[in-house]
Amino acid sequence: MTSSAQRPYRGVFPVAPTIFDANGNLDLDGQRRCVDFMIDAGSHGICILANFSEQFVLTDAERETVMHAVLEHVAGRIPVIVTTTHFSSAECTARSREAQAAGAAMVMIMPPYHGATFRVGEPAIYEFYRVVSDAINIPIMIQDAPVAGTPLSVDFLARMANELANVRYFKIEVPMAANKLRGLIEKGGSVIEGPWDGEEAITLMADLDAGATGAMTGGGYPDGIRQIIDPFLAGRRDEAVQAYARWLPLINYENRQCGLQACKVLMREGGVIKSDAVRHPLQPLHPATRAGLIEIARSLDPVVLRWGR
């Protein structure tokens, strides 16, 4: 079932973690509770199977299981973005077609990369996105992130937006993201349907000022990110700045101290999920780091700390 939300998609689309039990197995009941919390906390949509979802520790079969479980449970309540990144054009296309058939509103795809050195040049990157775009009829979000180690110039991104029918959204989370967003909007014009912020909202205010219309953050406190993005998009910038100042200590702590584990720790603390386990070789947060995260969060009273109590 597809979401009733209309394009262009705007607002807060946090990444949902993949929930494991204490033994490291998929916890689909916990996954469903996680999604229900994220919807109740104000997410305009969610993204699944991203790096912050630990997609890199999942088997292909587990990816499919999580995707179908989430899409069936969401049942069109909000749009769901499915990450389908893969080095292979054929595999990425197959993943993207399966996501579309299952009800995804959009797919998010990084440029082809593998390890520290396997990259392809712009002509091959262009063909990669062209192949996927031609195979589906839902939008593609290009994830422009340092982990890929692949430079994507403003001119190149704007060219793909102009020439490839479904390349319409861009999650920009490289250094100087605001400048890149501003340039992309100027170069691409109306075909840049979704210039979006990423990296746990650490640059959200600057990115909104540059023209960002969406934010893909961690999944722990969408209600807090809403307090920033809602007033900004409504023309109340001063209110957004004040909210950003309130939430920035937690945003910073997640981004600089905890990474992808912050969301799960907060969800477990608030009774949303039973286990905040990550898969080996990832390690649990140090107890002092965990305590620091919870202390900052409690001062802000996010929905996550009371949803399951």
Side-chain angles (χ1 to χ4, degrees):
M1 183 183 297
T2 56
S3 169
S4 60
Q6 298 297 307
R7 293 172 58 183
Y9 301 121
R10 295 160 58 92
V12 182
F13 280 65
V15 173
T18 301
I19 309 304
F20 304 116
D21 65 21
N23 296 316
N25 301 310
L26 292 180
D27 176 2
L28 295 181
D29 288 339
Q31 192 72 58
R32 296 180 186 100
R33 283 177 59 82
C34 162
V35 168
D36 284 340
F37 151 71
M38 292 176 71
I39 293 173
D40 288 350
S43 302
H44 293 105
I46 61 171
C47 177
I48 61 173
L49 300 175
N51 289 330
F52 255 44
S53 314
E54 296 174 74
Q55 59 86 14
F56 41 79
V57 299
L58 300 177
T59 67
D60 287 348
E62 287 174 328
R63 285 179 53 88
E64 292 184 14
T65 296
V66 171
M67 181 181 73
H68 287 288
V70 170
L71 287 167
E72 289 168 10
H73 187 66
V74 170
R77 287 178 285 169
I78 56 172
V80 177
I81 301 171
V82 177
T83 305
T84 58
T85 296
H86 198 282
F87 190 92
S88 161
S89 302
E91 182 62 25
C92 185
T93 296
R95 287 181 174 185
S96 300
R97 288 172 66 92
E98 183 178 5
Q100 175 180 289
M106 188 189 312
V107 292
M108 182 169 74
I109 305 171
M110 300 186 76
Y113 77 98
H114 178 72
T117 60
F118 281 33
R119 303 288 185 277
V120 298
E122 280 193 1
I125 294 171
Y126 181 95
E127 284 301 305
F128 171 83
Y129 282 110
R130 182 193 63 76
V131 167
V132 180
S133 177
D134 287 351
I136 60 177
N137 56 26
I138 57 176
I140 294 169
M141 171 177 283
I142 293 180
Q143 182 179 5
D144 184 14
V147 67
T150 304
L152 298 170
S153 70
V154 166
D155 286 345
F156 182 50
L157 292 174
R159 176 190 166 208
M160 286 196 288
N162 274 285
E163 297 178 5
L164 304 179
N166 291 310
V167 174
R168 289 293 177 266
Y169 288 76
F170 301 84
K171 181 186 178 186
I172 306 298
E173 44 190 351
V174 293
M176 311 296 287
N179 284 344
K180 193 162 192 178
L181 282 163
R182 192 174 290 110
L184 181 60
I185 293 165
E186 290 173 357
K187 288 278 187 179
S190 62
V191 296
I192 309 300
E193 185 174 316
W196 281 22
D197 163 90
E199 202 183 3
E200 301 83 71
I202 194 69
T203 60
L204 179 57
M205 201 64 229
D207 293 346
L208 288 171
D209 283 336
T213 58
M216 189 176 290
T217 64
Y221 42 96
D223 50 314
I225 306 300
R226 284 284 302 264
Q227 292 176 29
I228 304 164
I229 205 168
D230 284 1
F232 186 92
L233 295 180
R236 305 191 305 276
R237 185 179 181 277
D238 288 349
E239 183 181 335
V241 169
Q242 292 172 8
Y244 186 62
R246 285 196 308 274
W247 288 89
L248 186 56
L250 183 57
I251 292 169
N252 180 72
Y253 203 90
E254 175 181 20
N255 178 264
R256 305 301 293 177
Q257 306 299 327
C258 303
L260 62 85
Q261 298 191 52
C263 177
K264 289 187 178 184
V265 167
L266 293 174
M267 287 185 179
R268 181 184 178 189
E269 185 69 16
V272 178
I273 58 178
K274 295 178 181 178
S275 170
D276 55 17
V278 291
R279 275 191 171 168
H280 198 271
L282 295 176
Q283 300 294 309
L285 288 183
H286 189 282
T289 303
R290 180 190 181 94
L293 173 70
I294 294 169
E295 179 183 34
I296 294 173
R298 287 202 184 285
S299 71
L300 295 161
D301 191 32
V303 172
V304 67
L305 294 182
R306 36 193 171 82
W307 188 86
R309 299 301 186 189

